């Protein structure tokens, strides 16, 4: 089965044989792009993720969902502290670097917080989190984090839509 044309939608019941279609349908929801970082026994690690959402203001909670099939899953499943970095459009290369390599810190400006979590500079927002809870979520783990510290700045957002990176400008041009 092929993807829809502009005028003709494709309807389907999600089954094992058509996971590509379901993935494509999920991709129709435009998201921001994050890099989640954590300390590990192998040094600082990071992973690109678009499965991020705010959850609660009181207490301050966010969630993200690492893929259990990822080679990096072991690091994030065990992480008691981590940081979620919301990327600006200028950070597309950083996004791609962490999509390929858990240790893509070589050319980055970053610090470590008191818990040893790598903190990447110049992101649109950063949430330093302590693990609050985790729940089974099929082939992903749903991780809730309590935000212990946050930072933000102005800028244009890096987006992910239909398998491609894009940009949402802060202000519309006149």
């Amino acid at each position: 089965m092929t993807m829809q044309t502009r005028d003709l939608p494709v309807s389907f019941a999600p089954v094992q044989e058509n996971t590509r279609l379901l993935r494509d349908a999920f991709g129709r929801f435009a998201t921001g792009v994050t890099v989640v970082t954590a300390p590990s026994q192998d040094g600082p690690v990071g992973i690109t993720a678009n499965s991020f959402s705010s959850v609660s203001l009181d207490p301050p909670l966010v969630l993200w969902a690492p893929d259990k099939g990822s080679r990096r899953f072991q690091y994030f499943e065990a992480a008691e502290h981590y940081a979620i970095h919301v990327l600006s459009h200028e950070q597309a290369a950083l996004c791609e670097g962490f999509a390929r390599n858990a240790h893509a810190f070589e050319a980055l400006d970053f610090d470590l917080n008191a818990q040893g979590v790598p903190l990447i500079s110049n992101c649109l927002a950063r949430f330093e989190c302590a693990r609050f809870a985790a729940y089974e979520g099929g082939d992903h783990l749903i991780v809730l984090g309590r935000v212990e510290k946050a930072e933000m700045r102005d800028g244009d957002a890096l987006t992910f839509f239909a398998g491609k990176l894009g940009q949402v400008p802060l202000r519309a041009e006149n």
Side-chain angles (χ1 to χ4, degrees):
M1 187 172 274
T2 61
M3 195 56 227
Q4 76 212 34
T5 65
R6 188 172 280 283
D7 297 323
L8 301 173
V10 173
S11 296
F12 61 96
V15 294
Q16 188 69 31
E17 292 76 29
N18 68 8
T19 56
R20 179 75 249 173
L21 280 175
L22 184 58
R23 185 179 182 105
D24 289 347
F26 285 158
R28 293 304 181 253
F29 181 67
T31 67
V33 181
T34 69
V35 168
V36 182
T37 59
S40 81
Q41 68 275 13
D42 297 326
V45 292
I47 191 169
T48 300
N50 70 332
S51 60
F52 165 77
S53 183
S54 59
V55 174
S56 172
L57 295 173
D58 186 18
L61 300 175
V62 295
L63 74 76
W64 78 289
D67 182 347
K68 292 178 183 177
S70 168
R71 293 184 312 259
R72 299 175 222 182
F73 180 73
Q74 63 178 337
Y75 300 125
F76 295 100
E77 177 186 33
E80 290 298 320
H81 292 90
Y82 56 90
I84 299 172
H85 305 80
V86 178
L87 301 185
S88 73
H89 83 280
E90 295 111 352
Q91 295 174 309
L94 188 151
C95 164
E96 292 165 355
F98 280 105
R100 290 188 301 273
N101 179 2
H103 306 282
F105 290 93
E106 303 85 37
L108 292 183
D109 182 16
F110 76 97
D111 294 309
L112 299 177
N113 71 9
Q115 292 78 30
V117 176
L119 304 176
I120 300 169
S121 300
N122 300 315
C123 298
L124 288 184
R126 181 175 62 222
F127 304 96
E128 295 176 50
C129 301
R131 185 182 178 118
F132 184 80
Y135 304 97
E136 290 301 314
D139 58 5
H140 285 63
L141 181 69
I142 300 165
V143 180
L144 280 176
R146 182 181 185 97
V147 178
E148 295 183 327
K149 186 174 181 185
E151 178 179 297
M152 66 179 174
R153 72 173 181 88
D154 286 339
D156 294 347
L158 182 63
T159 60
F160 189 68
F161 178 75
K164 295 183 178 113
L165 294 174
Q167 174 183 352
V168 173
L170 179 63
R171 292 174 189 83
E173 294 185 25
N174 296 327

